[in-house]
Amino acid sequence: MAAAAARRRPGGGERRRQGSARRNAGPREARGGRLWAACFVSAALVAAAGAFLAWSSRSAEDGVAEVLARRGEALLDKFVEVPCSGDYDGYRRFEGCTPRRCGRGVSDAVITREEAERIRRIAERGLSLGGSDGGASILDLHSGALSLGKQFVNLYRFFGDKIQDIFTEEDFALYRDVRQRIQQKIADTFGISSSSMYLTKPTFFSRINSTEAKTTHDEYWHPHIDKVTYGSFDYTSLLYLSDYAEDFGGGRFVFMDAGSNKTIEPQAGRVSFFTSGSENLHRVEKVHWGTRYAITISFTCNPDHGIGDPVLM
């Protein structure tokens, strides 16, 4: 959902000029939204082209599913190794980081439910400033990208000093701590050093409900491959912030494997993670009722594509 928003970084001077920023926000933010949207559509088209053959060859088994992680289970660690695809060969390799062992894992022991609830409140407060007209909204604390109607704005520029009333230093400290623990979990599982991994864009909150899609940005359910969509991705993770079958219906995460699908039922505090190549073709089921919250946290092995943690200016 979020490809180009990280190009915009907040600046202290811009926030102090809140009044003039708000008066001039319309044209500037509209241009930024169009740029953000164009990059998103390009990424979506590339992903669709890369995933179509794999998806169509497996679609006959789409109704056959195996549950990899059920809601209500407390999984210390669950890992399924799968053969690596050749996707990584088209990019510069980084010894000790670029995947040589591939697979997907799930753990309920990295982040507590209470921490997930606190993280969700950060997402709720931020998304209360905007939200998509369709069923899928994003909030990227790194770049400031926020869904607003049928476009995107930079919340740091658009809302200026009001952000100080929405987020706190403690919010950003918790966000950073959660990111670090997930990064360490991925490193330990795949036998690499966490210092060789870099946070990359897009990393963002998502809020999904059953509202009909209004633009391409709302069509979150298509099969895709992260390494194809975003070349910088090497490891992808999701922290779920709400519960399947309690807070929402549908919305399960689906690995699309030959022979059967492997599904993960979200629950608050559950972390799923996987190597980002086509060995892990995946999609999200449409949400039929309620609201699904999650945060996607992505990592690269290439320091040139690394981003920093968000900072409350």
Side-chain angles (χ1 to χ4, degrees):
M1 289 182 187
R7 295 176 183 169
R8 298 179 176 176
R9 303 295 300 180
E14 289 172 313
R15 296 187 187 185
R16 287 190 292 271
R17 295 190 296 271
Q18 177 186 9
S20 60
R22 289 299 300 273
R23 284 193 296 272
N24 297 322
R28 182 174 64 250
E29 297 301 339
R31 288 194 297 273
R34 285 194 293 271
L35 175 61
W36 204 100
C39 292
F40 170 84
V41 172
S42 297
L45 291 173
V46 170
F52 175 74
L53 291 177
W55 174 77
S56 60
S57 67
R58 301 174 193 181
S59 59
E61 295 88 13
D62 195 51
V64 179
E66 173 187 335
V67 179
L68 190 62
R70 295 185 184 278
R71 184 182 73 85
E73 289 183 306
L75 298 173
L76 179 60
D77 285 298
K78 189 168 190 177
F79 182 76
V80 177
E81 188 166 352
V82 297
C84 292
S85 66
D87 294 342
Y88 310 98
D89 297 335
Y91 296 86
R92 180 181 172 190
R93 297 191 71 89
F94 293 84
E95 195 61 37
C97 183
T98 299
R100 294 190 179 279
R101 180 190 186 212
C102 294
R104 73 273 307 233
V106 186
S107 178
D108 295 315
V110 179
I111 308 300
T112 68
R113 173 172 284 272
E114 187 272 335
E115 289 169 330
E117 290 171 351
R118 289 170 59 196
I119 288 284
R120 173 173 166 168
R121 288 195 289 272
I122 297 172
E124 289 173 334
R125 292 199 303 272
L127 285 162
S128 71
L129 298 173
S132 170
D133 287 344
S137 300
I138 70 101
L139 168 65
D140 182 339
L141 291 179
H142 302 265
S143 69
L146 171 70
S147 299
L148 185 64
K150 293 183 175 64
Q151 61 178 349
F152 300 91
V153 298
N154 185 311
L155 82 162
Y156 298 122
R157 294 176 179 171
F158 197 78
F159 295 101
D161 292 338
K162 184 179 179 181
I163 294 301
Q164 302 285 346
D165 300 325
I166 302 298
F167 304 120
T168 67
E169 294 287 358
E170 290 74 18
D171 292 336
F172 280 58
L174 174 62
Y175 183 98
R176 181 170 57 252
D177 179 57
V178 164
R179 186 273 301 166
Q180 290 171 340
R181 278 186 274 159
I182 292 174
Q183 181 171 342
Q184 188 63 56
K185 180 63 178 178
I186 294 172
D188 291 345
T189 300
F190 289 99
I192 62 176
S193 170
S194 64
S195 64
S196 68
M197 303 165 61
Y198 302 88
L199 190 67
T200 194
K201 61 181 180 182
T203 286
F204 58 96
F205 289 106
S206 59
R207 182 185 69 192
I208 304 174
N209 58 39
S210 60
T211 303
E212 181 181 356
K214 300 299 191 298
T215 71
T216 308
H217 316 299
D218 300 316
E219 297 181 8
Y220 57 85
W221 54 82
H222 298 297
H224 63 279
I225 299 160
D226 289 346
K227 189 68 176 174
V228 174
T229 309
Y230 309 105
S232 62
F233 278 35
D234 290 300
Y235 301 92
T236 306
S237 67
L238 295 104
L239 169 60
Y240 298 108
L241 306 176
S242 50
D243 294 331
Y244 168 74
E246 181 173 323
D247 297 315
F248 62 91
R252 295 183 300 175
F253 187 95
V254 183
F255 290 109
M256 302 182 68
D257 295 340
S260 70
N261 293 329
K262 308 296 191 299
T263 64
I264 294 176
E265 297 178 353
Q267 64 182 17
R270 172 165 286 170
V271 175
S272 68
F273 55 92
F274 50 93
T275 46
S276 303
S278 55
E279 68 276 1
N280 282 314
L281 172 69
H282 60 275
R283 65 182 179 88
V284 174
E285 295 176 331
K286 287 186 177 182
V287 170
H288 302 306
W289 57 267
T291 305
R292 178 191 192 269
Y293 284 89
I295 179 171
T296 298
I297 303 175
S298 46
F299 298 97
T300 183
C301 297
N302 188 338
D304 294 340
H305 295 296
I307 62 173
D309 289 306
V311 176
L312 188 63
M313 302 294 288

